[in-house]
Amino acid sequence: MYKKEFMLEAIALSHKCLENGTGGPFGAVIVKDDKIVGRGSNLVTTHNDPTAHAEVVAIRDACQNLHTFQLTGCEIYTSCEPCPMCLGAIYWARPDRIYYAADKNDAADAGFDDSFIYKEIELSPNLRKIPASQHDKNNAIPVFDAWKLSESKTDY
């Protein structure tokens, strides 16, 4: 169930990022059992890491704090609708719910337009702006086959 105090914390993290000049104007918190278990703000430019978006940083923090790689039973509050990368990370983390404040159009208006990525995903890999091509599949498949048969694997 949505709680304004958690959204205000995510927005406060985005504002702090802006004030400190540590990254883009984005913040996120992960909540479990009405307690913040992970915090993140955009650290892309500070860490020279294009994946250090607020949601990803918050997911990493929450997973470390909870000693798990899945956030089942958690909710994520983010100051802006997640970009495609963050949405993918959120789905892999498996929280129960996403709450966001600004939307992707607001982000685009501020210079963070991800619409080109949504368009690229729809294209065949060889037609994308960064072309991709498949090679050596026959050498990779045995690793997947071994994974499927492994008794020590951890499904995720």
Side-chain angles (χ1 to χ4, degrees), residues 75-151:
E75 299 173 327
I76 184 165
Y77 288 76
T78 181
S79 64
C80 187
E81 182 177 1
C83 75
M85 178 189 70
C86 291
L87 188 59
I90 290 167
Y91 270 85
W92 278 114
R94 294 181 175 87
D96 295 351
R97 181 91 187 191
I98 304 166
Y99 300 106
Y100 62 91
D103 65 24
K104 62 185 174 185
N105 297 314
D106 300 314
D109 185 56
F112 299 95
D113 188 357
D114 297 322
S115 62
F116 75 98
I117 296 173
Y118 290 107
K119 292 174 187 168
E120 287 285 300
I121 290 169
E122 296 296 319
L123 296 174
S124 174
N126 63 323
L127 298 177
R128 296 176 181 155
K129 286 190 167 83
I130 301 175
S133 56
Q134 186 176 29
H135 302 274
D136 297 313
K137 178 178 177 174
N138 292 337
N139 290 318
I141 295 302
V143 181
F144 286 110
D145 291 339
W147 169 262
K148 291 187 280 188
L149 297 173
S150 173
E151 293 183 20

